[in-house]
Amino acid sequence: MAHPSQLGLQDAASPLMEELLRFHDHALMIVFLISVLVLYIIVAMVTTKLTNKYILDSQEIEIIWTILPAIVLILIAFPSIRILYMMDEINSPHLTIKAIGHQWYWSYEYTDYEDLAFDSYMAPTQDLTPGQFRLLEVDHRVVLPTESPVRVLVSSEDVIHSWAVPALGVKMDAVPGRLNQTAFTVSRTGLFFGQCSEICGANHSFMPIVVEAIPLKDFESWAMTLLEDL
């Protein structure tokens, strides 16, 4: 969860988000070095008249400003392609859930459990208890086990939505008539908040997502209890 005066992204709660944070820092350092180099050249040109014929017409300079951008692109492309393959790779998930977007709430189906499904609406402000977040809390949370690969099938009943939880490194569009999928592994227990990340209508900002990660043994107990209540 974000907090006041925070710098950077939210703390990672999945191996995928940890990789995204490393790539963010890697790319940010490259941008910083490029900015320092460009600033140095500008200052040098202004203060030392670094605009003589040798600088402007030098073949060595042309080679440098051709090769250097190519090296920068390689340093960015290789790590990003690796992460893209990691995001698309879904190997033997332990649990599959289906998230369906509606105007303006989410419904969830646990496909490995018969009849385990529910709707998730934003909790009204008057129903919140101390410590809960306004506009982010829901009446029914998505409960998932930790240290278990989870596959999420995402679709929509009406318009395009987007199922996004920043701390897990997940953002997948929910498109009507299409079934998209993503996968992640929650590495620690806790509550992780997200929201629809597509402008889906008047109440777009009122369809939050709350993922509650608990140990596997507790998840089994929760699933059995919920099935009995249904």
Side-chain angles (χ1 to χ4, degrees), residues 70-87:
I71 294 174
V72 170
L73 290 177
I74 291 173
L75 291 175
I76 294 176
F78 282 0
S80 64
I81 292 174
R82 172 176 169 270
I83 294 177
L84 283 174
Y85 274 103
M86 290 176 59
M87 296 175 72

Side-chain angles (χ1 to χ4, degrees), residues 35-205:
S35 302
V36 170
L37 177 61
V38 172
L39 180 61
Y40 168 76
I41 293 175
I42 292 175
V43 172
M45 291 179 64
V46 171
T47 58
T48 63
K49 297 182 180 180
L50 193 65
T51 56
N52 57 53
K53 183 177 181 180
Y54 175 79
I55 294 298
L56 295 180
D57 300 331
S58 170
Q59 184 175 357
E60 290 80 3
I61 294 296
E62 292 184 5
I63 293 174
I64 291 173
W65 71 41
T66 301
I67 294 178
L68 195 58
I71 294 174
V72 170
L73 290 177
I74 291 173
L75 291 175
I76 294 176
F78 282 0
S80 64
I81 292 174
R82 172 176 169 270
I83 294 177
L84 283 174
Y85 274 103
M86 290 176 59
M87 296 175 72
D88 287 336
E89 189 173 333
I90 303 176
N91 293 324
S92 303
H94 295 175
L95 177 69
T96 299
I97 67 172
K98 185 177 181 181
I100 303 174
H102 306 268
Q103 288 183 315
W104 286 272
Y105 65 96
W106 294 96
S107 61
Y108 298 97
E109 302 173 7
Y110 287 72
T111 59
D112 299 286
Y113 297 84
E114 187 176 1
D115 298 329
L116 181 52
F118 54 84
D119 295 331
S120 179
Y121 291 85
M122 184 187 73
T125 302
Q126 61 270 20
D127 295 341
L128 296 178
T129 59
Q132 291 184 325
F133 297 101
R134 179 177 173 271
L135 302 183
L136 287 179
E137 190 58 68
V138 296
D139 56 355
H140 293 96
R141 298 168 176 170
V142 183
V143 179
L144 297 177
T146 58
E147 305 296 341
S148 297
V150 177
R151 174 173 54 191
V152 182
L153 306 176
V154 185
S155 188
S156 173
E157 285 286 349
D158 35 55
V159 299
I160 297 177
H161 301 278
S162 184
W163 200 82
V165 183
L168 301 177
V170 177
K171 182 180 183 294
M172 180 57 64
D173 285 344
V175 182
R178 180 172 179 175
L179 200 62
N180 294 328
Q181 66 177 355
T182 185
F184 56 87
T185 300
V186 186
S187 56
R188 56 186 171 88
T189 60
L191 294 178
F192 309 106
F193 297 86
Q195 291 177 300
C196 174
S197 295
E198 289 286 350
I199 301 177
C200 57
N203 291 331
H204 153 71
S205 57

Side-chain angles (χ1 to χ4, degrees), residues 109-118 219-230:
E109 302 173 7
Y110 287 72
T111 59
D112 299 286
Y113 297 84
E114 187 176 1
D115 298 329
L116 181 52
F118 54 84
F219 173 79
E220 292 290 348
S221 301
W222 169 84
M224 293 302 104
T225 301
L226 190 59
L227 283 172
E228 291 174 0
D229 294 340
L230 294 175

Side-chain angles (χ1 to χ4, degrees), residues 201-223:
N203 291 331
H204 153 71
S205 57
F206 303 114
M207 49 184 304
I209 302 160
V210 181
V211 174
E212 182 177 357
I214 59 178
L216 180 58
K217 60 179 181 179
D218 296 332
F219 173 79
E220 292 290 348
S221 301
W222 169 84

